[in-house]
Amino acid sequence: MVIKAADMLIARRADTRARADFATWKMMAKLNGASALPMEAQNFLTAYKKLLEQMDDAQASEATIQLMYRTYYSEMGGAGAAPEVPARSREPVADSGNVTAFRRLPAKPKPGASGPNAQRPLPVALIFGCLVVVYVAIRYYWR
């Protein structure tokens, strides 16, 4: 069976989407947010939990991702059965077990903003004074 380039492109996109969605949904389930997920996601997570009773986490994850991949492939318009995606684009599902909240990084110092040769911004009063002098000079010149 010859696989068209368009179908292979769809296959890669479907595989990437399936892996990303599964990782997101799995994390949402760990954070007790599975009820906020769409029904399709909840169905895939239910299938994952059933597979988890029969096999270890890595195998259950991969089997669920393959199920999602085949579904996404047909939804995206792939012709026929979903082809096997090359292994180079696959990455194992990372499961760190702990979740950390996002934190803002401290602001980066501007280059040259510190040290003895740093330029200081003009004070507001000096700028205002210059504007007043320009205004008075223009008014005096027009009389």
Side-chain angles (χ1 to χ4, degrees):
M1 180 174 148
V2 177
I3 300 172
K4 295 181 182 178
D7 287 334
M8 201 58 201
L9 180 65
I10 292 171
R12 281 192 214 110
R13 286 179 40 211
D15 183 64
T16 302
R17 181 178 165 203
R19 290 181 185 285
D21 284 353
F22 180 72
T24 303
W25 297 342
K26 190 174 174 185
M27 190 58 63
M28 291 271 306
K30 283 185 178 181
L31 296 172
N32 295 329
S35 61
L37 293 172
M39 187 54 70
E40 178 187 30
Q42 291 179 16
N43 291 338
F44 282 126
L45 285 175
T46 303
Y48 166 71
K49 288 177 184 175
K50 288 180 183 176
L51 289 171
L52 202 54
E53 294 172 358
Q54 301 169 359
M55 53 187 79
D56 68 341
D57 187 20
Q59 291 174 335
S61 295
E62 189 59 34
T64 306
I65 289 170
Q66 288 304 311
L67 176 66
M68 293 170 63
Y69 160 66
R70 288 190 297 274
T71 303
Y72 287 170
Y73 180 78
S74 63
E75 285 177 3
M76 292 179 173
E84 182 67 27
V85 178
R88 65 176 176 79
S89 66
R90 291 191 178 172
E91 298 173 3
V93 177
D95 185 17
S96 61
N98 61 355
V99 180
T100 58
F102 289 109
R103 286 181 260 152
R104 290 190 184 271
L105 296 174
K108 294 181 181 177
K110 294 181 182 178
S114 61
N117 296 332
Q119 291 181 345
R120 298 182 69 201
L122 288 176
V124 176
L126 181 61
I127 296 171
F128 180 73
C130 289
L131 287 174
V132 169
V133 169
V134 169
Y135 175 76
V136 170
I138 291 173
R139 293 286 294 200
Y140 180 74
Y141 177 73
W142 280 351
R143 285 190 184 205

